[in-house]
Amino acid sequence: MLNPKVGIFYMTFMPQFIPPHVNVKEFSLLLTAIQALLSFAWLALLVVLTVPLGRFLSSATVVRRMARLTGSIFLAFSLKLALSRRA
């Protein structure tokens, strides 16, 4: 409610989906409700998946492999930067 960008988004993006023969106010509220329901479902799914995913990501093997992968990516970027020529 305090973020004006959300209102501007709905005022500029949603009208293209409103057919010309319907009540604009009711259809706008319907589209907004659908979007809110989908957002709630997505965020609820993320919350439900957090616990098993958190357990998986905190295992020692996964942490070690992620550290190696991240280090390899940083090394690749640093090699690319060191071997690149300035324009």
Side-chain angles (χ1 to χ4, degrees):
M1 297 284 284
L2 297 176
N3 188 351
K5 291 182 283 187
V6 174
I8 292 171
F9 169 77
Y10 282 111
M11 290 175 62
T12 58
F13 182 73
M14 291 296 188
Q16 63 185 329
F17 300 108
I18 300 174
H21 63 280
V22 299
N23 184 339
V24 174
K25 192 183 296 184
E26 290 175 3
F27 203 80
S28 297
L29 288 173
L30 174 67
L31 289 176
T32 303
I34 291 170
Q35 195 271 330
L37 182 68
L38 288 173
S39 296
F40 178 77
W42 172 248
L43 292 174
L45 178 67
L46 287 178
V47 168
V48 168
L49 293 177
T50 298
V51 173
L53 189 61
R55 269 191 237 119
F56 170 73
L57 290 175
S58 63
S59 71
T61 304
V62 173
V63 170
R64 189 171 43 252
R65 288 183 182 170
M66 293 283 280
R68 289 178 184 164
L69 176 66
T70 305
S72 300
I73 291 171
F74 281 142
L75 281 175
F77 282 144
S78 64
L79 281 174
K80 182 180 177 184
L81 183 62
L83 298 175
S84 68
R85 296 183 188 186
R86 288 191 176 190

